[in-house]
Amino acid sequence: MPEVIEIQDNDANEQWNPFVGDETNELLRSNSNLIDGNRNLYEAGQRVLDETYRIMQVCGNPDNPTHSETGIVIGYVQSGKTLSFTTLAALARDNNYQIVIVIAGTSTSLFNQSTNRLRRELRLDTRFDRKWTLIPNPSEIEHQETIQTVLAQWADPNFQNERCRTLLLTVMKQKDHLFNIAEIFDGLNLNGVPTLIIDDEGDQASLNTLARRAARQGIDIEDLTESDVSTIYRRITRLKGLFTHHTFVQYTATPQANLFINIVDRLSPNFIKLLTPGTEYTGGMDFFRQEAHLVEEIPLTDLPAPNHPLHEPPESLIAAMRVFFLGVVAGEILQDQRNRSMLVHPSRLQGDHNQFTEWVRGICNSWRRILTGNDDAEKNILIADFREAYDDLRRTVPNILPFERLTDFKLVHAIQYTPIVEVNSRRGSTPQINWQDSYSWILVGGQSMDRGFTVEGLTVTYMPRNVGVGNVDTIQQRARFFGYKRGFLGYCRVFLDQVTIDSYNAIIDHEENVREQLEEFDINNKPLDNWNREAVLDMMLNLTRANILYDNLDRDTFDEWFRINAPHDTEGFIDTNRTNLFEFLTPIQNSFAVDEGHNNRTQDQRHFVARVRLQDCLSNLLNKLKFTRESDSASYSSLRGIFRRYLAEHPNEECLIYLMSARSLNDWTRRTRRLTRNDEIQQLFQGKQPTKDTSQFRIGDVYPGDSEIKNANLVSIQVHLLNLRDTDYTSVPTLAIWIPEHIGTDIIRQPENRA
């Protein structure tokens, strides 16, 4: 009998008041970046506490016997998500959660990084109060007895709660380790055992990678069996299903996949919390908007390609290294204790990593030889090249040290003693970076340094890698150059090709749009099931990998004319729309005037036009008209969303309303239009007049065509009243809306994905 995969049963978000105890307070106070000299929390520490408290509020009250909820916590790339979920674990301990499971990392290095971070921040090696039992990758043979003993203490009414230990289990996101931890708990009595499951990088590997295949095979998502889901997804959902009282919290900076999977999926989140980075954080807005001069374009000639192999190090790589080493010397002179690093990310191929590693080593060896040699002419040329890099740095570091101080023997030492490490598994296991071994580093690699990998003190990034298929989450995760670096931002440089630069700019718009939409769900604790799943996304990009999306995504481009194709689709709305239209127009009819045009126009080619506030038009007309054909209604809804978001920043924006073929509300010609076989208007717009050049007029001299009845810089709304040929439909209101370039955008959406 095949296993049937249980579907998520999202509870209403529960509110309770967690207790903030010693565990949470001491974790935050032990973090030197969050407290002042009097052991009081800085604003950053208070922010972490406040946000974590609100996350805990939508986790289950441990005093309740049952709870089952899935949520998502969204931060920015490199913005401190680990501190958030570590604090959440501490807060769970303060509130008598018996089990905290952290699913951490798809590789051994990332798993160890997360486990060690938890061990360090919870001070497990320096305290003796036995509040925690940490078990990395637990197995049934080695650890079941320990786990049973800890749970038995909680269940014993005569054993004091303050003496009970919370199980802290870290498990690698790998099928065997996930199987092992589920086997331990399978069969145990877990009734009333409050459990917190944290899925770090919850969009990676956890989701069902066979979802699209199942959809193509026509399998209903509620009928998925074991063979229709991927192994890690099956292991995680099995683990969730063992606990009668649990909250599953996904942490990620790239939530596209989680937000757009089908809402009845067991891993579809039903609550959302947004993390706010500290003031020292520098992300996409800093690098690509406020400080765009920190981003340097890699010329096409420096980009490796199958038809354009590189046979020597590109000049832009050499320029990036000059900037990096000058920054290293400046940091050492100023005794900056933080690391200084350079990341070279040429591609996903290990052969390319090796090639670039050899180039970097060769450049360093050449510079060291020249700077320590006796050829003054050669040395002067090299120093002149470094002078160019210095002048570039001086634009962003006005108080930079004098050039001569940065190019004495310290520059030679920086070049000679900076380790150059190829970070991949080409020689076996991926090298682990011990950041304490050296002040400066150059790392060369690809995927191993994408998601979750922190490059300490990263100042210069050289990434000639193209965007590939253009998945937003993949490109975002490559931005290791984001992070808490405002104090040395002027020394930072990011070298990218122009397509990647354009992609990051588009991703910023997408990311901020998603966060803006989700903010009300966060603040008001609204169920995420009610979110209308759509977002701004440039056509050059894809949302995420297609295999995890059960539902197809629709895309709309709003940058010219939008038309309603079937305004008659629901007969009952024709009269309602007409009534709402005239209720809007009647009070403002004196604002209308006949539009200007050629005297030889026909009545059909003469229109009534008024200039009104776009906000009034949206509220009192566009929001009241209803069009029910799916292809119309979804796009129409998206368009109104675009207007709402634009008006939030431009509340006084105006628009034009054209009453097509009208001289007044009472003298409005009903145009006749034919329907296609798909029951849509065959051709709404009237064309140019004349249609051919004549001795008297050129094409369009008398009438330029309906498509030109607009103001290129203003939203222009054409209102048509139609009689539909060979039907009984008369005076059917419909719209054509011109969206100017500065307002228009591309939308991606998932239709009909509501609970």
Side-chain angles (χ1 to χ4, degrees), residues 367-374 379 412 416:
W367 286 348
R368 188 177 67 251
R369 176 186 58 80
I370 293 171
L371 291 173
T372 58
N374 298 318
K379 186 182 301 183
V412 177
Q416 183 171 2

Side-chain angles (χ1 to χ4, degrees), residues 74 255-256 259-260 272 274 507-521 531 534-537 543 645 748:
I74 302 173
Q256 290 79 12
L259 294 176
F260 281 82
I272 166 75
L274 301 173
I507 287 171
I508 292 167
D509 293 335
H510 164 79
E511 182 177 38
E512 293 306 314
N513 171 249
V514 170
R515 289 180 67 96
E516 177 188 325
Q517 292 185 64
L518 295 179
E519 188 172 1
E520 66 169 308
F521 291 84
W531 178 48
E534 71 170 41
V536 168
L537 185 63
L543 189 70
R645 290 188 288 272
I748 193 164

Side-chain angles (χ1 to χ4, degrees), residues 54 201 286 288 454 521 546 611 613 649:
R54 297 190 70 245
E201 304 293 351
D286 295 279
F288 294 95
T454 299
F521 291 84
R611 187 169 180 139
R613 293 179 69 244
E649 296 185 6

Side-chain angles (χ1 to χ4, degrees), residues 492-503:
C492 294
R493 293 293 185 273
V494 183
F495 290 76
L496 305 168
D497 69 276
Q498 188 59 55
V499 173
T500 303
I501 294 172
D502 293 341
S503 297

Side-chain angles (χ1 to χ4, degrees), residues 84-204:
S84 173
F85 73 68
T86 304
T87 308
L88 183 63
L91 195 53
R93 164 68 215 183
D94 278 335
N95 288 274
N96 292 330
Y97 266 69
Q98 299 178 28
I99 303 172
V100 175
I101 299 172
V102 180
I103 304 174
T106 57
S107 66
T108 301
S109 58
L110 292 179
F111 170 76
N112 290 337
Q113 177 178 285
S114 296
T115 301
N116 292 336
R117 177 81 178 267
L118 284 161
R119 186 191 303 275
R120 182 174 68 253
E121 295 198 348
L122 293 171
R123 311 171 314 286
L124 300 186
D125 293 335
T126 59
R127 55 192 290 191
F128 305 98
D129 54 5
R130 298 182 180 87
K131 296 293 186 183
W132 297 91
T133 293
L134 171 63
I135 306 176
N137 282 329
S139 66
E140 191 172 16
I141 296 175
E142 293 182 63
H143 305 111
Q144 185 158 30
E145 183 176 347
T146 299
I147 290 171
Q148 288 177 324
T149 299
V150 171
L151 295 179
Q153 291 174 345
W154 284 101
D156 187 343
N158 298 316
F159 197 85
Q160 296 173 315
N161 270 6
E162 56 267 26
R163 294 182 58 201
C164 293
R165 292 170 288 164
T166 293
L167 289 166
L168 177 59
L169 311 177
T170 58
V171 57
M172 187 173 167
K173 198 179 294 188
Q174 187 266 349
K175 60 183 181 65
D176 294 329
H177 292 303
L178 288 167
F179 176 82
N180 290 340
I181 192 172
E183 285 293 293
I184 293 172
F185 289 109
D186 196 4
L188 295 182
N189 180 8
L190 299 172
N191 291 332
V193 175
T195 301
L196 174 66
I197 305 175
I198 295 169
D199 186 3
D200 188 19
E201 304 293 351
D203 63 307
Q204 183 189 32

Side-chain angles (χ1 to χ4, degrees), residues 525-667:
N525 292 306
K526 293 173 60 175
L528 198 53
D529 287 359
N530 296 331
W531 178 48
N532 184 21
R533 282 159 164 75
E534 71 170 41
V536 168
L537 185 63
D538 193 283
M539 283 289 181
M540 70 186 293
L541 297 167
N542 294 312
L543 189 70
T544 185
R545 53 205 183 279
N547 61 350
I548 54 92
L549 296 177
Y550 183 87
D551 306 281
N552 290 318
L553 301 180
D554 290 340
R555 306 195 73 148
D556 288 315
T557 298
F558 295 104
D559 60 357
E560 290 190 351
W561 282 107
F562 166 79
R563 281 162 280 199
I564 299 295
N565 295 311
H568 60 291
D569 194 57
T570 299
E571 188 172 350
F573 283 127
I574 296 176
D575 290 340
T576 303
N577 283 345
R578 191 186 307 116
T579 298
N580 287 330
L581 171 63
F582 279 89
E583 285 181 353
F584 170 71
L585 293 175
T586 300
I588 63 170
Q589 59 182 315
N590 292 334
S591 302
F592 282 86
V594 176
D595 72 316
E596 297 179 0
H598 200 281
N599 289 333
N600 288 7
R601 288 175 298 164
T602 66
Q603 177 56 46
D604 274 10
Q605 297 164 350
R606 297 175 186 271
H607 318 299
F608 226 27
V609 62
R611 187 169 180 139
V612 300
R613 293 179 69 244
L614 179 58
Q615 181 63 67
D616 295 338
C617 186
L618 176 64
S619 301
N620 301 320
L621 178 63
L622 300 184
N623 284 345
K624 293 186 177 182
L625 299 182
K626 298 185 183 301
F627 303 102
T628 54
R629 180 70 60 88
E630 183 178 346
S631 56
D632 287 335
S633 62
S635 298
Y636 186 55
S637 176
S638 297
L639 177 59
R640 288 178 295 172
I642 290 172
F643 288 161
R644 281 194 300 273
R645 290 188 288 272
Y646 183 80
L647 286 167
E649 296 185 6
H650 306 85
N652 297 319
E653 184 79 7
E654 294 184 315
C655 69
L656 295 179
I657 299 179
Y658 290 89
L659 309 185
M660 304 299 287
S661 303
R663 285 185 289 187
S664 71
L665 294 190
N666 299 318
D667 186 6

Side-chain angles (χ1 to χ4, degrees), residues 254-266:
T254 49
Q256 290 79 12
N258 308 71
L259 294 176
F260 281 82
I261 60 175
N262 193 282
I263 61 172
V264 301
D265 190 295
R266 287 200 68 202

